[in-house]
Amino acid sequence: MQTRWGSFVEATVNIVIGYVTAIAAQIVIFPMFGLYASHTQHLLIGLCFTVVSIVRLYLLRRVFNTIRYFRVTHE
């Protein structure tokens, strides 16, 4: 079982690694499609996608927890 602190550290590291990976990918991939952005724009775009990913992950966890709750309580 993971402690709350361990969960927090894991989630934080996951977000930071995801953000850095997104920025690096944008810098490489965007020019392949004729898109050019400043470093500041890359950072802001990466931040937007990071927020979207956090919301997506949160909502999916809530959905699966709800499904598990109904499965357990209605069996």
Side-chain angles (χ1 to χ4, degrees), residues 24-55:
Q26 287 169 203
I27 290 170
V28 172
I29 295 169
F30 277 24
M32 293 177 181
F33 292 91
L35 302 171
Y36 298 94
S38 69
H39 291 298
T40 301
Q41 289 171 322
H42 278 300
L43 295 173
L44 291 173
I45 292 167
L47 181 62
C48 290
F49 281 116
T50 298
V51 170
V52 168
S53 293
I54 291 168
V55 171

Side-chain angles (χ1 to χ4, degrees), residues 11-36:
T12 302
V13 169
N14 187 17
I15 290 167
V16 170
I17 290 172
Y19 179 70
V20 171
T21 303
I23 300 303
Q26 287 169 203
I27 290 170
V28 172
I29 295 169
F30 277 24
M32 293 177 181
F33 292 91
L35 302 171
Y36 298 94

Side-chain angles (χ1 to χ4, degrees), residues 3 6 10 38 50 57:
T3 65
E10 179 186 350
S38 69
T50 298
L57 179 57

